[in-house]
Amino acid sequence: MVALSNSSEDACLVINAGSSSLKFCVFQSGNKGGGSAAEIEPVVTGQISGIGTAPRFEAKDAARHKIADHSWAAGENPGRPELLHHLLDWIGDTLKGATLVAAGHRVVHGGTRFSAPVRVTPAVLDQLEELIPLAPLHEPHNIAAMRALAQVYPSLPQVACFDTAFHQTQPWQSQTFAIPRELTAEGIRRYGFHGLSYEYIAHRLPQVAPELADAHVVVCHLGSGASLCAMRGGHSVDTTMGFTALDGVPMGTRPGAIDPGVLIYLMREKGYGADELEKLLYHKSGMLGVSGVSNDMRDLESSDLPAAAEAVELFCHNVAKQVAALAGSMGGLDAVVFTAGVGENSTLVRARVAEKLSWLGVSIDPAANRAKATRISAQESRVPVFIIPTDEERMIARHTLGVIAAAQLDRAA
Ligand code: AMP
């Protein structure tokens, strides 16, 4: 178990729990007492994969060197509490002298109740259980990790950080479907996701370009899940994902926006039930469905198959279309930011999207784009274009330490 005393440095564990895997990252701060979120840096990252089948624990140090790789013997199948116990013991052994002051969790859905990070309590966990129907593929695993950690290490403060929270500033018309009001009142509305990523970009962009602090910005979070966010002055005004993480642009295995009539057709004419629709929409569509070969942009870009090129084209077409739609939604476009796996790494996708937006005054410098410079727009571009690597884990660690510090201040007052 991690030492809670005699330690020299505060550490914050960040957890991103999925159905069969748990990604983790430990941030360490030079400040004693957990009182500040300043100057935190990741010291180890890793994951536990194969939860429920054949668990494997892997970790890397800050220089990305592998420092742990452990699989359990056949027949042994430790559950979440045992695996978290292993993780905490390992952190204690590896980061000797560190004080683990808190754990922060990425939680996909905060509903309408949670508009900011919150200290995890039994009551909060019960409230989060009520949100499971809104995110059945993610929320149960987020909750399971918080419950397991509370069981293993009850005195460790835990903080839930929500992917939906950043979008709570959106105006009513961005959050509302045109459906009967009683359904909206039940919570059937647009929530938006990737909020921790957008929040990080909202903090980072003014450091990179101070003149854009109050600007109309479209951030393109293009990863295996993808969405775009319209931001004004660092606040979310509109976004492409809605009630679930299915809406918006095509993704690795999700179609993005699809005429709901298609789903009625599939149910009525082809006998699809909810489970089959879920499989189709979450796992078989998007880049994988269109290309027939892969959900990974790297594979598609290096493939000679016409269907792979078509998938990339369909992706870029829809991203460009949504940049324009979001500019319309917020009434202006002063900058475009690319982030996440595809946005940060794919020269081709950025170039194609920019080409399609040339009528809006977007033009990128091919050399800067290839070099993955921070500012990739051409001199003459009316709209500056940036690549800003996202850092959701850092955002969670900052929030977590902030919540703990605020609680300490409250107690001291
Ligand atoms: P993320 O979900 O943000 O981790 O993004 C993961 C996705 O980024 C992968 O599935 C790839 O499709 C994409 N990706 C990562 N590296 C590259 C690259 N060098 N070129 C194109 N796509 C990439």
Side-chain angles (χ1 to χ4, degrees), residues 28-342:
Q28 216 159 4
S29 122
N31 302 305
K32 274 193 72 78
S36 169
E39 292 173 12
I40 49 169
E41 290 304 329
V43 285
V44 289
T45 56
Q47 67 168 353
I48 303 170
S49 53
I51 298 174
T53 50
R56 179 173 178 186
F57 174 88
E58 293 164 279
K60 291 179 177 170
D61 65 13
R64 313 291 299 158
H65 296 130
K66 194 168 251 197
I67 50 173
D69 190 347
H70 176 78
S71 297
W72 280 261
E76 274 183 287
N77 191 359
R80 269 194 180 75
E82 292 79 19
L83 293 169
L84 282 168
H85 205 286
H86 178 86
L87 169 62
L88 292 171
D89 278 349
W90 180 84
I91 293 173
D93 290 344
T94 307
L95 302 178
K96 288 202 170 50
T99 304
L100 196 58
V101 294
H105 296 259
R106 179 182 186 174
V107 179
V108 75
H109 218 303
T112 49
R113 188 190 295 264
F114 297 108
S115 57
V118 64
R119 177 86 178 260
V120 177
T121 62
V124 165
L125 284 170
D126 290 345
Q127 287 160 352
L128 291 178
E129 299 269 1
E130 290 170 19
L131 296 174
I132 287 177
L134 298 184
L137 301 186
H138 297 100
E139 201 89 346
H141 312 297
N142 304 153
I143 296 170
M146 290 185 267
R147 289 204 188 278
L149 194 53
Q151 185 184 330
V152 173
Y153 199 162
S155 59
L156 182 69
Q158 298 190 63
V159 174
C161 302
F162 302 97
D163 252 336
T164 48
F166 183 68
H167 300 296
Q168 294 260 352
T169 53
Q170 288 182 359
W172 174 86
Q173 62 271 27
S174 297
Q175 295 183 327
T176 308
F177 292 122
I179 55 174
R181 279 179 179 270
E182 57 272 24
L183 292 174
T184 307
E186 281 177 28
I188 303 179
R189 41 156 273 188
R190 307 184 76 254
Y191 291 95
F193 298 88
H194 294 136
L196 292 157
S197 171
Y198 293 129
E199 193 178 5
Y200 177 78
I201 302 294
H203 282 115
R204 189 78 190 102
L205 183 61
Q207 294 169 350
V208 168
E211 71 281 9
L212 293 174
D214 193 36
H216 301 80
V217 181
V218 173
V219 181
C220 309
H221 177 110
L222 310 179
S224 50
S227 72
L228 287 76
C229 179
M231 276 186 208
R232 178 78 207 270
H235 298 289
S236 175
V237 177
D238 206 344
T239 189
T240 57
M241 279 181 171
F243 181 62
T244 65
L246 284 175
D247 206 357
V249 294
M251 304 169 222
T253 58
R254 291 170 254 170
I258 181 170
D259 177 349
V262 172
L263 309 185
I264 298 172
Y265 173 86
L266 291 174
M267 291 164 80
R268 207 168 262 154
E269 303 299 325
K270 295 179 73 82
Y272 276 56
D275 291 347
E276 276 165 301
L277 283 178
E278 193 170 85
K279 217 175 277 166
L280 174 78
L281 297 172
Y282 279 97
H283 303 298
K284 292 181 167 180
S285 298
M287 298 297 96
L288 177 64
V290 175
S291 71
V293 287
S294 176
N295 63 337
D296 192 311
M297 195 59 77
R298 287 165 289 203
D299 297 339
L300 302 183
E301 287 186 16
S302 60
S303 168
D304 293 331
L305 290 172
E310 283 172 359
V312 178
E313 182 58 18
L314 190 59
F315 180 74
C316 297
H317 170 79
N318 278 283
V319 171
K321 186 168 152 183
Q322 290 304 322
V323 172
L326 291 176
S329 172
M330 69 180 152
L333 182 66
D334 303 319
V336 174
V337 177
F338 287 98
T339 193
V342 176

